[in-house]
Amino acid sequence: MARPSWTQRPAAVPACAAPVRVAAVQSTGTTDRAAGTWGLTSAEAQARLRRGEGNTAPRGSSRGYAQILRTNVFNLFNTILFTIGAALLALGRYSDAVTSVGLGLVNAAISAVQEIRAKRKLDRLQLLSRGTVTVVRDGRDVAVLPHEVVRGDVLHVRPGDQVVVDGPLLEGAVEADESLLTGESDPQPKRSGDDLLSGSFAAGGEGWQLARDVGGASYASRLTADVRRVSTDATPLQRRIDFVVRLVMVLVALMSATILLQAALEGFSVERVVQTTAVLSGLVPYGLFFLVALAYTVGAAASARDGALVQQVNAVESISNVDVVCTDKTGTLTTGRLTLAEVVPVGPLPQDEVERLVGTAAASTAAANLTSTALAAALPGQQRPVLEEVPFSSALRWSAVRTDDGVLVLGAPDSLAPAVPGAELTDAVTARTAQGLRVLVAARPVDPAAPLRDDGGRARLPDLEPLALVVLADELRPGVPGTIARFTADGVDLKVVSGDDPRTVAALARQAGMAAGDPVSGAELEALTDAELDALVARTAVFGRIAPEQKERLVDSLRRQGRYVAMIGDGVNDARALKRAQVGVAMRSGSAVTRDVADIVLTDDAIGALLPAQHEGRRIITGIGTSMQVFLARVGTQGLVIVAVTMLGLGFPYSPAQVGLTLLTVGVPTLFLTTWARPQRPDPHLLTSLWRFVVPAMVVTAAAGVGVYATLYTALIEVVGTARTPEEVVAAFERYTGVASSDVGFAEAAATIGAQTGLSTFVSYAAFLLILFLRPPNRFFASWTDPDGDRRPALLVAGLVVAFTGLLFVPVLTDYFGLTDAADPVFATVLPALLLWFAVLSAVYRFRLLERALGIAD
């Protein structure tokens, strides 16, 4: 349609819209109110933006800095540690307090820094996916970012535009796709005075809209916030870790209650109770949450470099679980560009006349699209004034243009079939669609005066006379065949879900290397029950003529079958299907709402970017699985040791300062193991694998650790304080314990710290060597799993052993961690215990002794 003059008021603004428009004009103070100039001046727009009247609303894609710091510093785990640290400070246990508080602060700092870095990167990359909108400023069209639109602006809306604000249509006519808002798949005709809602999509037509509701007050902002708020489903790994942590918390709570009750009955001091509580709280493996968060953010940053912008950080893991990808044809398999292949006359007009009619209609349409652009470029014809038009939409699958040259209808053969009875076009259409070509029928009404709309303004087809087949060719995206082959090799199925003819889609899928099979049309799905649909979806790879609501149903069917689904979409109609899938993927060139609700945005519009993202996710998840084994083996070992030593009445085996050694024995190794992991398919039986490794490790390690502790404790309590003890040793123990040798509890205190040193030394070395069971460098260590040829874990173990051994000879560090200096009795006990531990654990793993004992070896 022609653009209205900006020097006069539009003549057709209904009374219901006029007060809104007039109020807007009066409030803006435009430079030419008398002439009725639309829109704002640049100065007025800037003033409104400064007053907070811009189209800015909080995005759900990332948290603010204050929220990141608050949630990382003051989570449940850190709050417990800070409380215990304050109690230890009040009791004068400064070293223990620093360890307790330090663990929380280190955890919070690393997690917060990584999340802030990821947020900044994600926010910068987010700018790549921003589109522009057209507003009228200073009497002319200007392209601005959506957040620069202000209340009172006039927006120029064209086909393909996302509506970003709420407000009435001042002039023109627009076909609004409101499927995301109302569930109505048919585009809704909008005339002057009708409201356009943000979040809808201009499927056709052209108009000028007043920006009445902007920012957080607009429908799209509320919708996006709501959709994103309900999309925080936990991933499989998160659910498993949450279960494990909750189970450990329950066991620790029960153990704590028992031990503290015993302490109360035996008259333990307040200091001892606080120290015991500090140690027991450290058994809960909250570090797993930190490790997962860290791995997710690193993976998100790595995926972004390959063109996959992760908006929901846990999508890094979700993409690793995907075993079926649902995607459209246009924009993913193909570039979206069309070329005219041929025009085949099938009616009374000669070819040159048909080509002129089609070319004129394509050049004249106000609702230009890829098809009309390709036809206008390839065919003769000239632009004429449009008297009536029905824009093309995915629901109608046809368009019509009435000019003074007549009426031309262009649409999909099956959509026009009811209006062209008796026309024998099937063979010609089938022959071309089988080659992957897109076939449209050009026709004209039998009655040239027949209206193209009913009394309600809805498009309708008159009786038609076919004129020609218009054949178009899609351009296959470069690299698509290789991408599909890699998906197949990785065990990922591909389902093509398109609005085009299923035969055309199937032919293109075959060109891309897919095993397309027999394609299915959306009409065939309508009458199927869920069970029948599941059976059909399981064996079908190509679906054509699919309506938006049918995409949701296809995703639901796959999920019922236990599949992990990624849905790729670009239009508003795809948003609901994206939210139904476990992983929603949007194209950068797609609608703003679809990008906002997606878990991942493909910044280069290339489906191939999902492959490195999936490999990165699988690598990270493999590393986290290995790290969970290390974490839980440590937790289980400490828990069993505490219970056993307490039952034996040999004091308490750990001090809060010694718990700080877990940063070296668990924290550092798990970071490296996660970084060095190799991509593997997610283990559906992760918990089973965990207990098969963890239970033998914690039982054998705890048994050996209790033996070390008991041996040193009994030996020291018999020697310390007697005449046989050298004076320098007595003086050293007085310094370690803070208890004078003349005091009654000196022998027990000295024996406890000496035994604790031996236990911590043994458990630390055992934790390092346990890595060699998980990542064996050669066959000698391959009792749990086979060697993978990676020597880095063995070098890490060697480095950790050297670092820890050096720590034992540095008085400042041993004092900090609550240990005695390295002494011959400690190593004389620990080294033989390590050899025995290694031999027993190797036998347990190699011969699966635990499973055999439980009768589940098979």
Side-chain angles (χ1 to χ4, degrees):
M1 65 175 288
R3 169 179 168 169
S5 170
W6 302 123
T7 61
Q8 60 182 1
R9 290 180 186 271
V13 179
C16 62
V20 176
R21 177 181 166 273
V22 171
V25 171
Q26 289 175 347
S27 66
T28 60
T30 55
T31 57
D32 192 3
R33 286 175 54 189
T37 302
W38 282 8
L40 308 175
T41 66
S42 298
E44 290 166 342
Q46 288 299 319
R48 283 178 172 263
L49 198 60
R50 287 193 296 269
R51 293 201 301 267
E53 298 180 24
N55 190 41
T56 55
R59 295 177 62 89
S61 57
S62 61
R63 300 188 292 175
Y65 295 114
Q67 186 181 7
I68 289 173
L69 291 173
R70 184 172 61 254
T71 54
N72 281 288
V73 174
F74 297 107
N75 56 37
L76 176 62
F77 174 55
N78 288 343
T79 301
I80 293 173
L81 290 182
F82 294 158
T83 302
I84 294 171
L88 290 171
L89 280 174
L91 295 170
R93 304 289 298 190
Y94 302 115
S95 177
D96 291 345
V98 169
T99 300
S100 179
V101 175
L103 282 174
L105 289 177
V106 168
N107 187 6
I110 296 176
S111 183
V113 167
Q114 289 295 332
E115 188 169 352
I116 287 172
R117 289 180 61 189
K119 170 185 165 54
R120 288 177 175 173
K121 188 173 186 67
L122 292 175
D123 286 348
R124 286 197 302 269
L125 290 169
Q126 196 88 276
L127 296 175
L128 298 175
S129 62
R130 287 188 180 179
T132 60
V133 296
T134 303
V135 299
V136 180
R137 297 271 174 86
D138 301 314
R140 59 189 178 86
D141 283 358
V142 177
V144 300
L145 293 173
H147 73 273
E148 295 174 335
V149 177
V150 299
R151 186 178 64 83
D153 261 327
V154 173
L155 288 81
H156 192 173
V157 181
R158 300 182 179 91
D161 287 350
Q162 178 73 43
V163 181
V164 299
V165 296
D166 298 347
L169 196 64
L170 297 176
E171 174 76 2
V174 173
E175 295 277 336
D177 185 340
E178 298 179 338
S179 58
L180 180 63
L181 313 181
T182 65
E184 173 60 57
S185 60
D186 294 332
Q188 304 300 302
K190 300 290 183 179
R191 301 289 182 264
S192 296
D194 294 340
D195 262 5
L196 283 178
L197 294 178
S198 55
S200 61
F201 186 75
E206 183 179 18
W208 288 262
Q209 178 202 13
L210 173 68
R212 183 188 63 214
D213 300 325
V214 299
S218 69
Y219 192 94
S221 295
R222 301 194 303 271
L223 174 70
T224 301
D226 289 343
V227 174
R228 291 192 72 86
R229 186 159 49 244
V230 301
S231 63
T232 55
D233 294 339
T235 62
L237 182 65
Q238 286 176 319
R239 289 194 296 269
R240 289 164 180 162
I241 291 179
D242 186 60
F243 167 77
V244 169
V245 170
R246 287 177 183 274
L247 178 62
V248 173
M249 287 179 68
V250 170
L251 296 177
V252 168
L254 294 174
M255 186 168 62
S256 300
T258 303
I259 292 175
L260 293 177
L261 178 61
Q262 180 187 9
L265 293 175
E266 294 180 3
F268 279 11
S269 65
V270 174
E271 177 181 339
R272 183 67 176 277
V273 170
V274 172
Q275 287 180 299
T276 302
T277 304
V279 171
L280 293 174
S281 65
L283 293 180
V284 179
Y286 289 102
L288 283 176
F289 290 126
F290 157 65
L291 183 67
V292 170
L294 178 61
Y296 281 174
T297 53
V298 172
S303 298
R305 291 194 296 269
D306 294 315
L309 169 59
V310 177
Q311 298 197 118
Q312 289 284 357
V313 182
N314 65 0
V316 172
E317 183 214 332
S318 284
I319 196 67
S320 72
N321 292 284
V322 167
D323 57 14
V324 59
V325 174
C326 298
T327 181
D328 197 356
K329 170 182 69 69
T330 305
T332 51
L333 299 184
T334 64
T335 62
R337 292 189 290 271
L338 298 175
T339 57
L340 179 65
E342 59 178 334
V343 176
V344 183
V346 294
L349 299 181
Q351 180 157 346
D352 58 348
E353 179 64 14
V354 171
E355 290 182 352
R356 186 190 66 80
L357 287 174
V358 174
T360 296
S364 302
T365 180
N369 53 37
L370 291 173
T371 300
S372 63
T373 301
L375 295 178
L379 296 175
Q382 58 183 347
Q383 184 177 2
R384 294 180 178 273
V386 175
L387 305 177
E388 187 180 7
E389 180 171 10
V390 176
F392 177 84
S393 70
S394 59
L396 291 175
R397 292 197 290 273
W398 62 270
S399 63
V401 177
R402 186 191 299 275
T403 67
D404 56 6
D405 202 29
V407 180
L408 187 83
V409 178
L410 192 67
D414 55 342
S415 298
L416 300 191
V420 285
E424 295 296 333
L425 305 176
T426 304
D427 291 342
V429 170
T430 301
R432 288 162 176 82
T433 54
Q435 301 172 41
L437 299 171
R438 181 183 298 190
V439 182
L440 301 175
V441 175
R444 63 184 178 184
V446 175
D447 177 7
L452 299 176
R453 297 183 183 274
D454 59 21
D455 294 338
R458 294 181 180 275
R460 72 173 182 184
L461 281 173
D463 291 337
L464 300 175
E465 175 188 23
L467 299 178
L469 298 182
V470 178
V471 185
L472 298 156
D474 282 295
E475 182 181 52
L476 204 64
R477 270 188 174 275
V480 163
T483 298
I484 291 176
R486 289 169 63 191
F487 271 126
T488 303
D490 285 348
V492 179
D493 294 333
L494 206 66
K495 306 280 186 182
V496 183
V497 183
S498 174
D500 292 335
D501 188 296
R503 294 165 297 183
T504 301
V505 180
L508 281 168
R510 293 188 189 98
Q511 291 178 25
M514 284 183 59
D518 296 326
V520 171
S521 172
E524 300 176 47
L525 308 181
E526 292 294 336
L528 297 181
T529 65
D530 286 347
E532 293 169 336
L533 179 66
D534 292 350
L536 178 66
V537 170
R539 66 174 183 268
T540 304
V542 174
F543 299 86
R545 299 291 186 230
I546 296 296
E549 59 272 13
Q550 291 176 323
K551 293 182 181 181
E552 285 185 83
R553 199 175 175 210
L554 290 175
V555 172
D556 286 337
S557 173
L558 289 166
R559 294 193 64 163
R560 282 195 301 271
Q561 298 174 57
R563 308 298 297 273
Y564 209 93
V565 186
M567 177 73 195
I568 304 176
D570 55 2
V572 178
N573 285 342
D574 297 323
R576 290 184 298 172
L578 261 63
K579 299 315 299 178
R580 290 297 304 142
Q582 282 99 337
V583 183
V585 183
M587 311 295 279
R588 174 191 170 188
S589 59
S591 70
V593 168
T594 306
R595 293 196 303 267
D596 264 348
V597 302
D599 301 304
I600 296 174
V601 177
L602 301 181
T603 56
D604 297 323
D605 285 353
I607 187 176
L610 288 180
L611 283 165
Q614 185 179 60
H615 286 186
E616 180 68 18
R618 289 183 173 181
R619 184 189 65 76
I620 287 172
I621 301 312
T622 300
I624 291 175
T626 302
S627 298
M628 286 180 67
Q629 293 171 314
V630 176
F631 262 104
L632 296 180
R634 189 268 300 177
V635 170
T637 298
Q638 285 188 329
L640 290 179
V641 168
I642 290 171
V643 171
V645 170
T646 304
M647 290 176 62
L648 293 173
L650 302 179
F652 195 77
Y654 293 103
S655 72
Q658 291 157 5
V659 174
L661 287 171
T662 57
L663 180 63
L664 181 66
T665 59
V666 175
V668 172
T670 54
L671 287 177
F672 280 101
L673 291 176
T674 302
T675 302
W676 293 337
R678 297 177 179 179
Q680 297 177 5
R681 289 186 63 85
D683 183 3
H685 308 295
L686 177 61
L687 292 180
T688 301
S689 299
L690 278 176
W691 82 259
R692 286 176 182 266
F693 178 85
V694 169
V695 173
M698 72 182 196
V699 169
V700 176
T701 307
V706 170
V708 169
Y709 183 92
T711 299
L712 289 172
Y713 186 92
T714 54
L716 286 170
I717 206 166
E718 291 178 359
V719 174
V720 174
T722 66
R724 294 175 294 169
T725 308
E727 291 184 3
E728 62 271 16
V729 173
V730 173
F733 274 114
E734 287 179 332
R735 181 173 62 84
Y736 297 144
T737 62
V739 179
S741 58
S742 58
D743 292 345
V744 175
F746 173 71
E748 289 79 3
T752 298
I753 194 171
Q756 287 176 346
T757 299
L759 174 63
S760 294
T761 302
F762 169 79
V763 170
S764 296
Y765 282 130
F768 301 147
L769 295 177
L770 198 61
I771 297 172
L772 299 181
F773 285 97
L774 289 168
R775 300 289 300 275
N778 50 52
R779 298 299 303 176
F780 178 74
F781 294 95
S783 55
W784 167 253
T785 188
D786 293 329
D788 60 3
D790 189 354
R791 300 285 179 175
R792 290 175 298 179
L795 296 175
L796 172 65
V797 170
L800 291 172
V801 168
V802 170
F804 180 75
T805 303
L807 177 153
L808 294 176
F809 289 91
V810 179
V812 174
L813 294 178
T814 55
D815 288 346
Y816 179 80
F817 287 110
L819 305 174
T820 65
D821 293 342
D824 292 341
V826 170
F827 283 101
T829 306
V830 167
L831 293 180
L834 278 173
L835 294 175
L836 179 62
W837 167 85
F838 182 83
V840 172
L841 190 58
S842 296
V844 171
Y845 283 145
R846 193 176 300 277
F847 301 110
R848 304 178 68 181
L849 298 182
L850 177 64
E851 291 94 322
R852 292 178 185 277
L854 298 176
I856 55 171
D858 296 329

